[in-house]
Amino acid sequence: MKLINPLIILRILSTLFLLETVSFLSCLPVAHIYSEPPYPFLWSSLITISISVVLYLLTIRSAFDRITNREGFLSVSLGWIFFTALGALPYLLSGTITSFFDAFFESASGFTTTGASILQNVEILPHSILFYRSLTHWIGGLGIIVLVIIILPALKITRFQFLGLESSLKEKIHPKTKSVGIRLLYIYISLTVLETILLVIGGMNLFESICHSFGTVATGGFSTRNDSLASFSPYIQYIILLFMFLAGVSYIIYYYMVKLNFKKVKQNEELWFYLATVVIAGMVATAILFTKTSRPFEVAFREGFFHVISLVTTTGFASADYLLWPSAGFFLVFMLLFTGASTGSTTGGIKMVRHLLVIKNIRNAFVRILHPNVINQVRLNGKLLPEKNNISIMSFITLYIFIFIIGTIVIVATGVDLVTGASAVASSLGNIGPGLGNIGPMNNFSHFSDFNKLIFSILMIVGRLEIFTIYVVFTRSFWRL
């Protein structure tokens, strides 16, 4: 087996750090507009570009014609870790966050589009830092992925294996062309701009509209307010509710729609399963709030559907404190922590297609019990699902649950109560943000120890990479010659 070429990995890291430098510099206009110190972003840019240049010079004489799967796995894993670590610089240099563990947590939460925070009062933060927090969502959601698709071909690193390792990417970039990546970037930007315009029309100022659009389209959840969206108007909440749902749709669906290939859209079973899940869960939440509380129907409908969509899409925005819901609603929230929207979207979690395939496998198992001689294979979108893919999906879910259980045991062993610990692990692994117990939608993660925050940060990255990417790197066969 071919040895791992470290120069390829260094070149990829160099490109990623260059993109991160651009993200730091893009915050300078905001700092200028609000008369805030620019040095946190200037120094962050200088440090990051210096590392990028050094890595580039180390690899400038090397010619790359292809990248192996092992180099792809290692590049993506290291890229997310170092990208997150450098992303903590603006928080530390601005004095907004003084602890490295806290800054790393906030950076990981941003880039993985989790939306959990250790900041107790975001409303006192400088505008430039608030903008940067939301920008990390936008970059982590899809921006960095598409930019890498556009830039990496210049490095002659064009193989799909590298791109297919990042969370949510396999369905987004089905055709292996640069033009598709550019179209997806246009779609991503269009959704962001459209939501921003609609929020401004609804009375939200331009700065907050941009920040919340970043968080919505990327299914992130960082807000500029301590109470998330609770203090905004019903119109604003409905607009964000709509765009959270749209963000949970696979980008390959949007690609097919742009190409006017509506047959492919109609055949996509995951899309209809996602829609059905949201509608049914939203109706259940609405019924619970309407019948068990004194809320008027419109308020129950808006609050119920808002939080269902927020949890299913792993966005994490809140329009109210769902910890005050009746016990039935409390149970519904916990169940939704393990959903996730469509593959090929910016959402985290297990994803709808995997839940759908579990249901199909269970149905087939019952059919075989009743009719042992019947050959009944699993189909998806009208096509037979290869057995190896089916096994891989079942293995993913098993590993996901195993990591959740182990993570919960570790966190609870540090003295955290079971409800808070379990929901914090589920929230981090699923890139959701809020949870239950002491990390409800109106609370934060500041009360956890540095050790717990580090565990949660790792879980965020593992969840964002959909587990297998990190898991494979730690196997013996990965390093075997």
Side-chain angles (χ1 to χ4, degrees):
M1 184 179 291
K2 182 181 176 182
L3 293 171
I4 294 175
N5 185 350
L7 295 180
I8 291 180
I9 297 171
L10 293 180
R11 176 64 70 87
I12 293 171
L13 293 178
S14 172
T15 304
L16 292 176
F17 296 158
L18 176 62
L19 297 176
E20 190 162 26
T21 301
V22 174
S23 73
F24 293 148
L25 294 175
S26 65
C27 297
L28 290 177
V30 179
H32 175 72
I33 291 172
Y34 291 98
S35 301
E36 296 169 353
Y39 66 85
F41 302 103
L42 289 173
W43 278 109
S44 298
S45 303
L46 182 61
I47 293 170
T48 308
I49 193 62
S50 298
I51 298 174
S52 177
V53 169
V54 169
L55 295 181
Y56 178 78
L57 292 176
L58 289 174
T59 61
I60 193 172
R61 296 182 181 276
S62 303
F64 308 123
D65 57 347
R66 64 190 300 272
I67 179 173
T68 67
N69 283 335
R70 293 200 299 168
E71 289 160 349
F73 279 115
L74 196 56
S75 297
V76 172
S77 300
L78 292 177
W80 271 97
I81 293 171
F82 288 118
F83 202 90
T84 297
L86 290 173
L89 288 174
Y91 298 122
L92 295 170
L93 294 174
S94 66
T96 302
I97 301 175
T98 56
S99 164
F100 172 77
F101 289 102
D102 285 353
F104 186 85
F105 178 96
E106 200 76 12
S107 178
S109 181
F111 286 120
T112 61
T113 71
T114 302
S117 181
I118 53 83
L119 295 167
Q120 300 184 51
N121 187 0
V122 298
E123 295 179 14
I124 65 172
L125 297 180
H127 287 80
S128 54
I129 293 295
L130 284 174
F131 179 82
Y132 172 69
R133 285 176 81 235
S134 298
L135 182 63
T136 58
H137 278 339
W138 198 83
I139 294 172
L142 181 65
I144 188 173
I145 302 169
V146 176
L147 288 173
V148 167
I149 292 168
I150 295 170
I151 292 174
L152 283 183
L155 308 179
K156 296 183 180 180
I157 301 173
T158 57
R159 285 195 60 182
F160 183 63
Q161 284 92 328
F162 171 73
L163 301 175
L165 302 178
E166 201 278 339
S167 162
S168 313
L169 192 59
K170 297 178 182 178
E171 294 295 326
K172 284 185 191 124
I173 314 299
H174 186 61
K176 309 173 190 179
T177 62
K178 177 180 176 180
S179 62
V180 174
I182 295 175
R183 287 191 181 97
L184 294 180
L185 179 59
Y186 287 159
I187 294 170
Y188 195 66
I189 293 174
S190 298
L191 287 173
T192 306
V193 172
L194 179 59
E195 183 184 357
T196 300
I197 293 172
L198 292 175
L199 291 177
V200 170
I201 291 174
M204 184 182 283
N205 66 57
L206 180 61
F207 174 78
E208 289 189 304
S209 296
I210 294 173
C211 289
H212 284 96
S213 295
F214 283 166
T216 307
V217 175
T219 62
F222 278 153
S223 177
T224 57
R225 304 286 183 93
N226 292 327
D227 62 357
S228 192
L229 293 163
S231 58
F232 289 105
S233 68
Y235 169 87
I236 296 295
Q237 293 176 12
Y238 275 119
I239 291 297
I240 290 182
L241 179 155
L242 171 63
F243 278 87
M244 283 193 298
F245 176 81
L246 294 177
V249 174
S250 173
Y251 271 72
I252 198 64
I253 295 295
Y254 293 123
Y255 175 77
Y256 287 142
M257 292 176 68
V258 170
K259 300 291 289 184
L260 302 180
N261 191 346
F262 296 108
K263 181 179 179 181
K264 286 280 189 179
V265 176
K266 183 179 179 181
Q267 290 176 341
N268 191 283
E269 293 182 56
E270 183 184 36
L271 173 63
W272 304 112
F273 186 71
Y274 167 52
L275 176 61
T277 301
V278 167
V279 170
I280 293 172
M283 291 173 62
V284 170
T286 300
I288 292 172
L289 294 176
F290 183 63
T291 60
K292 301 294 184 180
T293 70
S294 59
R295 291 171 175 81
F297 179 78
E298 187 279 328
V299 175
F301 175 85
R302 171 163 42 91
E303 188 175 321
F305 269 90
F306 186 98
H307 288 94
V308 163
I309 294 175
S310 181
L311 291 167
V312 168
T313 61
T314 70
T315 305
F317 280 136
S319 64
D321 190 352
Y322 56 66
L323 294 185
L324 303 178
W325 285 8
S327 56
F330 198 80
F331 178 75
L332 176 64
V333 168
F334 181 75
M335 295 296 293
L336 294 177
L337 293 177
F338 296 90
T339 51
S342 305
T343 54
S345 70
T346 58
T347 62
I350 294 176
K351 302 293 195 315
M352 285 293 157
V353 71
R354 294 190 179 104
H355 292 293
L356 176 60
L357 289 171
V358 167
I359 294 173
K360 290 192 174 208
N361 275 282
I362 293 174
R363 182 193 61 192
N364 283 1
F366 279 110
V367 170
R368 291 191 188 102
I369 291 174
L370 296 174
H371 308 283
N373 297 324
V374 171
I375 299 176
N376 196 8
Q377 294 179 284
V378 176
R379 289 179 174 270
L380 183 66
N381 301 333
K383 298 179 180 179
L384 288 176
L385 183 70
E387 187 63 24
K388 64 177 182 179
N389 291 1
N390 197 22
I391 293 174
S392 176
I393 289 168
M394 296 303 108
S395 299
F396 174 88
I397 295 175
T398 302
L399 189 58
Y400 191 99
I401 296 173
F402 177 77
I403 293 176
F404 164 71
I405 293 173
I406 295 299
T408 300
I409 292 173
V410 171
I411 297 300
V412 170
T414 64
V416 179
D417 68 273
L418 180 59
V419 172
T420 300
S423 66
V425 170
S427 174
S428 300
L429 187 60
N431 304 132
I432 299 168
L436 302 173
N438 294 328
I439 58 161
M442 301 303 161
N443 299 322
N444 55 63
F445 284 66
S446 62
H447 57 277
F448 288 109
S449 67
D450 288 342
F451 173 77
N452 288 342
K453 291 171 186 173
L454 181 60
I455 295 296
F456 294 142
S457 300
I458 293 172
L459 288 173
M460 291 177 200
I461 296 174
V462 169
R464 183 60 181 169
L465 293 176
E466 300 212 326
I467 300 176
F468 280 145
T469 304
I470 292 288
Y471 174 77
V472 167
V473 172
F474 287 95
T475 61
R476 183 182 299 178
S477 60
F478 180 87
W479 300 100
R480 186 177 299 157
L481 297 180

